Amino acid sequence: MASAFVAFLLLFYFTSAAATFSDTSHVINLNSQIHAKIGPTAWYSPSGRFAFGFLPQGNGFLVGIWIVDYTNNADSQNITVWTANRDHPPVPSSATIELTREGRLVMNADNGEIRIADIPEAAACASMEDSGNFVLYGESSNAIWESFDFPTDTILGGQKLPGSHTLFSKVSSSNFSTGRFRLDMQSDGNLVAYPAQIAPEPTDAYWATGTDDKQGQYYLHLDDAGGLKLGEEEFNSKVIKQLNGNYSENMGKTIYRATLDPDGNFRLYYNTSTDHLWQAFNNTCQAKGFCGFNSYCTVTDHQPSCYCVPGTDLINSGETYDGCRRNFTKQKCRGGKTDTTFSYITTAQKLKWEDIPYFSALMSEEDCKKSCLDDCYCDAAEYDSNICNKHQFPLRYGSRDIQKNSTTFFKIGTRRIENRNRTISPELVAVVTTSKKTWLLIPLLTVSLVTYSCAALATFGVFVFKTRVIKYKWLLASRTSGLAKELTLRLYSYKELKEATKGFKEELGKGSFGAVYKGNLNNGEKLVAVKRLQKLVEEGEREFQSEMRAIGKTHHRNLVRLLGYCTEGSNRLLVYEYMSNGSLADLLFRSERCPNWQERVRIAIDVAKGILYLHEECEAPIIHCDIKPQNILLDEFWMAKISDFGLAKLLMPDQTRTMTDTRGTRGYVAPEWQKNMPISLKVDVYSYGIVLLEIICCRRNIDLNVSRPEEIQLSGWAYSCFAAGELGKLVRNEGVDEKPLERMVSVALWCIQSDPILRPSMKGVVLMLEGFTNISTPPCPTA
Ligand SMILES: *[C@@H]1O[C@H](CO)[C@@H](O)[C@H](O)[C@H]1NC(C)=O
Ligand SMILES: *[C@@H]1O[C@H](CO)[C@@H](O)[C@H](O)[C@H]1NC(C)=O
Ligand SMILES: *[C@@H]1O[C@H](CO)[C@@H](O)[C@H](O)[C@H]1NC(C)=O
Ligand SMILES: *[C@@H]1O[C@H](CO)[C@@H](O)[C@H](O)[C@H]1NC(C)=O
Ligand SMILES: *[C@@H]1O[C@H](CO)[C@@H](O)[C@H](O)[C@H]1NC(C)=O
Ligand SMILES: *[C@@H]1O[C@H](CO)[C@@H](O)[C@H](O)[C@H]1NC(C)=O
Ligand SMILES: *[C@@H]1O[C@H](CO)[C@@H](O)[C@H](O)[C@H]1NC(C)=O
Ligand SMILES: *[C@@H]1O[C@H](CO)[C@@H](O)[C@H](O)[C@H]1NC(C)=O
């Protein structure tokens, strides 16, 4: 009762004070100070509802802005809406904030002066405004710095989050450091939520407004009436999407605030209330990364919780969000074979894993289980409606979904972990110690991460988590490239290769350069493909070797690796890694099942990345000249790899000149090449476009077994379906979402433009396929 009375007095004081303040009385003049412990501890806005000053954090203090709570309800409290240097350690109670005589806003703590605002010129005064904006003014009363320009996790009524700006959640309601989620106002007009610990990729997004594929200046705006909307700067701030209703009846009196909460949800609140008016999604488990590695999220009694998957324990006991690690020792994978005596399978129902599996195929439940058990790399397999998705540890983005009728198999070992003192899980340690490249990659990736989220890196805990994710990603990326293998080419003798192939007995196929044979090296331990070159231009030994070295220098996960070669007399043989799953042509045209849409998209992107590497990322650009499904091979994990690259030069020493001998394959050859005009990297783009259409539609470019004559040539038919808005026909109404289908087809149609100038670069192709750039409507390819 008494405190309610005090609160009432306070409210009365502030509201009456506000009424009597003149325009300048709340101005903070130079040489003003506030202190963490002894008053004054804050600078207030004229109404007294906002304060700028010291906030308790842990055992110390942080600088921030908060909404002062006068309601005195048990469940409400001061609400922090902004913090400065949120990832710095808290300062002790001896700290002061000062607007110095020289016009700088700084904090003085034990260890010296910390800048709060980076300003281009000296400030003349400052002000905590009633909007919640803290502003520094210059000599000519112009705002030179505003806290609204540097939002942390909240925007207030009247505030905008401009394009290319991001909100980062806080760790918890009492820890203001950068937390686990981010909300990006992307420059393409899409507002997207991602886990914060990794560089954002489309596949990691867990919520989006879907307002992408636009061009212009976009922003998120919370208006004074509590309406959240996406707007466009041009065209008089046109609203492109309203996220919620508004509450105009309370306009003027109520403070609205939209916050990316520590649980990853984006919510709208009013005043100091902790009950939300609106939230982006209702199921907390939707936030990817809500639970740590190898655990899944489930909601019980409206409360989300995380549980370790079978065979794992919490990394830090008691910390359920930190993730889990194996409670058994996993043997090393040698040649993909698993030591079956130590594994058995346990199952869990209704789990959903939203991370991309490394393998996905149609099969029966029993086969799925067996496939995981037999595959050393498999740690868990998710089986749902005849689709088997195999995953490796660490598992991410798991949740329990009662709508789902899925079974997840987990491989469990019985061998105990000997040394529990390690803080990083053993499999990750193994990667680090076997690969020098990992260390090269970490600084590289870290640099790019720094540009993404400087702030997030500042705390060590976050950093450790992040490097773990990076190592994990690298583990995935390099799974098949053989981390420990030396990167130099081996010179083989003819005799050795003849023995390895049992006298060139088993022919795998015939390419434009000669036949390919299956071989066995190291006493049968290593399968290889040996290519016997024929029809070479007359060329000296030295040129051949330098060519081999150039090819040997190419290392990319989507290129078939050249392991070595042989040059003896007139014999020229190349030794490649063996691709156990045949060619893309077999997969698309010959197998009884067409791979599912996700798998096809993944293959298309992989192939594009391989060509991009040849064109732009290796030492000297390589034109492949013969991109076709027969030259795209699939390894044991169904990863697509391009073969036969770099050999065109052996036939045609100067690639940039006109090619007189048409080497490319009919159906895939760009028009300019057929016309004997100079060729460029764009011939590969054309061929890729045709291959992309074949991947999308799972049929050959030229197919005579079709019902109607206009469907015989795929490239022409695809454009007419595109123009008529009937893309579903291309995929036999397989139930593919319209947007991704349209994106893929548009990219293909741009690639097969007869004018090479109109075709995009491979870089552009990859960006478009991955959804990073907008795609304009392609014209008719043959126009
Ligand atoms: C806040 O969280 C970060 C990251 O989890 C941690 O490093 C820091 O110690 C926490 N601060 C306080 C005061 O608890
Ligand atoms: C809320 O803010 C007011 C004004 O700065 C302050 O006096 C009060 O102690 C704060 N309350 C809490 C619980 O921190
Ligand atoms: C509130 O929403 C209605 C309809 O959505 C709109 O007409 C009105 O202008 C909005 N009010 C404010 C203050 O934005
Ligand atoms: C928010 O607080 C103000 C001032 O205390 C009050 O007038 C207003 O009604 C409150 N808004 C709501 C929705 O309760
Ligand atoms: C969440 O639930 C509320 C009330 O049940 C409903 O009005 C709202 O549309 C739901 N929001 C979403 C994003 O599904
Ligand atoms: C690992 O945990 C599972 C439960 O998830 C338990 O059944 C199993 O016995 C544990 N194994 C070891 C080696 O501790
Ligand atoms: C769930 O799947 C099982 C077999 O995997 C099947 O027997 C059952 O009918 C399915 N239930 C529903 C509701 O689809
Ligand atoms: C783990 O660490 C503790 C002390 O930190 C040590 O006593 C123990 O021997 C260690 N255990 C092993 C298996 O190394």
Side-chain angles (χ1 to χ4, degrees):
M1 194 56 213
S3 55
F5 181 66
V6 172
F8 173 74
L9 276 187
L10 261 176
L11 182 59
F12 180 76
Y13 166 76
F14 279 121
T15 37
S16 53
T20 55
F21 272 147
S22 73
D23 267 340
T24 53
S25 59
H26 68 279
V27 161
I28 302 152
N29 291 311
L30 297 186
N31 206 15
S32 300
Q33 283 191 350
I34 47 180
H35 311 272
K37 211 64 212 190
I38 41 162
T41 61
W43 287 313
Y44 292 93
S45 71
S47 69
R49 293 179 73 190
F50 282 99
F52 176 100
F54 284 104
L55 280 163
Q57 152 116 316
N59 299 324
F61 294 88
L62 215 63
V63 178
I65 297 172
W66 64 94
I67 309 174
V68 183
D69 177 38
Y70 297 117
T71 59
N72 208 36
N73 291 340
D75 64 337
S76 55
Q77 56 194 324
N78 293 346
I79 297 289
T80 305
V81 294
W82 182 82
T83 41
N85 305 323
R86 62 197 300 206
D87 291 315
H88 285 190
V91 294
S93 60
S94 57
T96 57
I97 299 172
E98 186 178 7
L99 183 60
T100 64
R101 212 184 296 274
E102 296 79 34
R104 289 175 303 129
L105 184 65
V106 296
M107 177 162 66
N108 294 303
D110 287 351
N111 49 354
E113 200 177 87
I114 301 165
R115 214 177 306 165
I116 295 173
D118 261 322
I119 44 178
E121 54 178 291
C125 65
S127 154
M128 180 71 248
E129 316 262 302
D130 266 339
S131 58
N133 195 5
F134 187 83
V135 186
L136 293 175
Y137 291 97
E139 285 301 339
S140 44
S141 302
N142 54 321
I144 56 174
W145 186 92
E146 306 177 46
S147 61
F148 269 17
D149 288 341
F150 304 92
T152 48
D153 64 341
T154 298
I155 57 169
L156 291 164
Q159 187 174 354
K160 276 180 185 175
L161 182 69
S164 309
H165 281 62
T166 301
L167 299 180
F168 283 95
S169 67
K170 46 182 176 263
V171 171
S172 66
S173 58
S174 59
N175 183 336
F176 305 112
S177 299
T178 305
R180 299 186 292 144
F181 302 97
R182 60 187 290 162
L183 183 69
D184 286 37
M185 183 64 239
Q186 297 183 168
S187 51
D188 64 0
N190 210 354
L191 182 69
V192 191
Y194 302 96
Q197 291 90 355
I198 49 176
E201 289 199 28
T203 48
D204 297 311
Y206 60 83
W207 179 78
T209 50
T211 45
D212 52 347
D213 289 346
K214 304 220 163 44
Q215 255 157 354
Q217 276 295 314
Y218 292 88
Y219 58 83
L220 171 70
H221 179 49
L222 177 60
D223 65 29
D224 295 325
L228 268 169
K229 49 206 181 190
L230 289 162
E232 191 174 0
E233 293 288 5
E234 279 169 278
F235 313 116
N236 298 322
S237 305
K238 190 178 88 188
V239 174
I240 54 171
K241 182 161 185 164
Q242 178 98 27
L243 299 181
N244 62 344
N246 59 34
Y247 316 88
S248 22
E249 65 277 9
N250 290 320
M251 221 167 107
K253 292 173 294 193
T254 303
I255 300 165
Y256 291 100
R257 56 194 168 87
T259 300
L260 182 65
D261 278 327
D263 65 4
N265 211 334
F266 186 49
R267 297 193 181 90
L268 177 73
Y269 299 92
Y270 66 95
N271 291 350
T272 53
S273 166
T274 47
D275 293 329
H276 61 264
L277 293 166
W278 172 88
Q279 62 183 353
F281 48 90
N282 288 340
N283 177 5
T284 305
C285 288
Q286 185 176 330
K288 284 185 182 170
F290 182 81
C291 293
F293 289 148
N294 305 329
S295 61
Y296 62 90
C297 179
T298 179
V299 177
T300 34
D301 293 336
H302 305 289
Q303 283 303 314
S305 17
C306 300
Y307 294 99
C308 289
V309 301
T312 66
D313 299 329
L314 286 175
I315 292 174
N316 301 315
S317 59
E319 302 292 331
T320 53
Y321 299 133
D322 287 0
C324 312
R325 61 178 165 187
R326 280 196 187 95
N327 69 355
F328 62 91
T329 306
K330 191 187 175 186
Q331 62 282 358
K332 282 206 189 75
C333 291
R334 283 189 211 284
K337 286 278 168 286
T338 193
D339 185 358
T340 46
T341 54
F342 284 101
S343 293
Y344 66 94
I345 288 263
T346 185
T347 56
Q349 306 297 327
K350 300 199 178 295
L351 295 187
K352 177 168 84 180
W353 298 99
E354 290 184 276
D355 206 359
I356 303 169
Y358 72 87
F359 171 94
S360 175
L362 275 176
M363 57 174 80
S364 74
E365 184 166 352
E366 203 45 46
D367 286 349
C368 183
K369 182 173 170 180
K370 188 168 178 309
S371 165
C372 184
L373 208 47
D374 290 348
D375 175 354
C376 172
Y377 295 99
C378 178
D379 291 311
E382 176 192 19
Y383 175 81
D384 189 9
S385 358
N386 296 321
I387 295 173
C388 182
N389 290 325
K390 293 201 279 186
H391 294 267
Q392 283 187 302
F393 273 8
L395 301 173
R396 296 189 302 171
Y397 308 156
S399 59
R400 200 176 150 79
D401 183 349
I402 48 164
Q403 305 291 327
K404 221 163 154 92
N405 193 7
S406 71
T407 304
T408 309
F409 302 107
F410 295 96
K411 228 150 88 179
I412 311 269
T414 46
R415 225 186 289 179
R416 287 206 154 274
I417 295 226
E418 301 86 38
N419 187 353
R420 255 301 181 200
N421 285 357
R422 277 193 273 216
T423 50
I424 316 178
S425 42
E427 72 270 26
L428 297 170
V429 173
V431 173
V432 174
T433 48
T434 53
S435 166
K436 289 196 193 85
K437 266 195 139 169
T438 313
W439 291 116
L440 285 177
L441 199 78
I442 289 171
L444 260 178
L445 276 178
T446 314
V447 167
S448 62
L449 275 168
V450 166
T451 50
Y452 272 111
S453 59
C454 257
L457 265 172
T459 51
F460 181 63
V462 172
F463 181 76
V464 168
F465 187 59
K466 222 174 257 194
T467 39
R468 231 184 277 167
V469 175
I470 293 162
K471 280 177 209 156
Y472 159 59
K473 286 206 150 177
W474 175 242
L475 177 73
L476 279 187
S478 56
R479 198 177 52 240
T480 55
S481 65
L483 283 170
K485 273 177 223 145
E486 68 290 339
L487 301 173
T488 50
L489 289 181
R490 234 202 95 183
L491 193 60
Y492 293 93
S493 70
Y494 183 72
K495 186 162 157 278
E496 210 175 346
L497 294 182
K498 194 171 171 186
E499 274 167 16
T501 56
K502 298 206 178 77
F504 303 103
K505 209 168 100 210
E506 198 178 336
E507 190 176 303
L508 292 170
K510 250 193 170 73
S512 31
F513 301 100
V516 184
Y517 303 90
K518 187 169 175 176
N520 236 323
L521 286 172
N522 306 352
N523 297 326
E525 259 186 36
K526 189 177 182 60
L527 284 178
V528 292
V530 178
K531 176 171 295 209
R532 218 174 161 171
L533 297 183
Q534 289 155 353
K535 308 189 287 187
L536 288 183
V537 285
E538 274 312 314
E539 192 178 17
E541 184 96 7
R542 198 158 353 106
E543 285 80 2
F544 178 77
Q545 294 215 17
S546 79
E547 206 51 55
M548 286 305 102
R549 274 197 298 276
I551 300 175
K553 277 186 194 149
T554 57
H555 290 289
H556 190 269
R557 61 202 286 251
N558 300 119
L559 297 183
V560 176
R561 271 272 308 276
L562 180 68
L563 303 172
Y565 60 94
C566 159
T567 162
E568 262 180 41
S570 61
N571 289 311
R572 300 270 196 277
L573 297 111
L574 309 182
V575 181
Y576 287 101
E577 56 178 335
Y578 180 73
M579 298 283 113
S580 55
N581 275 318
S583 75
L584 181 61
D586 295 334
L587 183 68
L588 292 180
F589 313 138
R590 258 193 281 274
S591 66
E592 54 288 21
R593 68 157 195 116
C594 174
N596 71 28
W597 175 252
Q598 275 75 25
E599 217 173 319
R600 269 147 54 210
V601 171
R602 183 180 57 77
I603 289 173
I605 293 177
D606 276 351
V607 175
K609 284 183 174 166
I611 306 175
L612 169 63
Y613 175 88
L614 290 176
H615 284 186
E616 294 181 24
E617 290 163 10
C618 60
E619 254 168 53
I622 295 176
I623 311 182
H624 187 293
C625 295
D626 201 9
I627 298 282
K628 58 181 176 181
Q630 289 77 6
N631 279 338
I632 295 160
L633 305 180
L634 298 155
D635 73 3
E636 55 183 320
F637 306 104
W638 299 92
M639 164 110 64
K641 297 183 177 220
I642 298 167
S643 75
D644 259 8
F645 54 89
L647 300 178
K649 273 195 188 169
L650 295 178
L651 281 176
M652 275 307 306
D654 187 353
Q655 277 205 327
T656 52
R657 259 196 271 136
T658 315
M659 285 244 182
T660 45
D661 168 24
T662 305
R663 188 178 78 89
T665 308
R666 255 195 76 207
Y668 301 92
V669 174
E672 70 270 22
W673 193 350
Q674 287 170 330
K675 288 181 201 146
N676 255 348
M677 282 166 16
I679 62 155
S680 67
L681 295 171
K682 294 290 179 74
V683 299
D684 285 348
V685 178
Y686 182 91
S687 308
Y688 176 76
I690 299 288
V691 173
L692 180 55
L693 283 177
E694 294 184 326
I695 294 175
I696 295 169
C697 308
C698 236
R699 56 158 278 195
R700 288 175 198 278
N701 186 24
I702 307 288
D703 189 351
L704 300 173
N705 301 324
V706 288
S707 42
R708 294 180 315 153
E710 64 265 33
E711 294 179 17
I712 288 177
Q713 195 189 16
L714 178 57
S715 44
W717 183 49
Y719 183 75
S720 43
C721 289
F722 178 83
E726 294 174 332
L727 288 178
K729 280 186 179 175
L730 290 174
V731 291
R732 295 173 206 84
N733 301 309
E734 195 186 312
V736 177
D737 284 345
E738 202 174 298
K739 253 199 161 160
L741 176 60
E742 191 185 319
R743 176 156 59 215
M744 299 274 284
V745 175
S746 307
V747 174
L749 291 174
W750 275 113
C751 288
I752 60 170
Q753 294 295 318
S754 40
D755 183 352
I757 293 169
L758 290 179
R759 291 175 213 150
S761 67
M762 282 316 291
K763 177 111 217 158
V765 168
V766 169
L767 289 173
M768 288 191 281
L769 288 178
E770 294 198 319
F772 286 113
T773 44
N774 311 313
I775 309 175
S776 42
T777 309
C780 178
T782 52

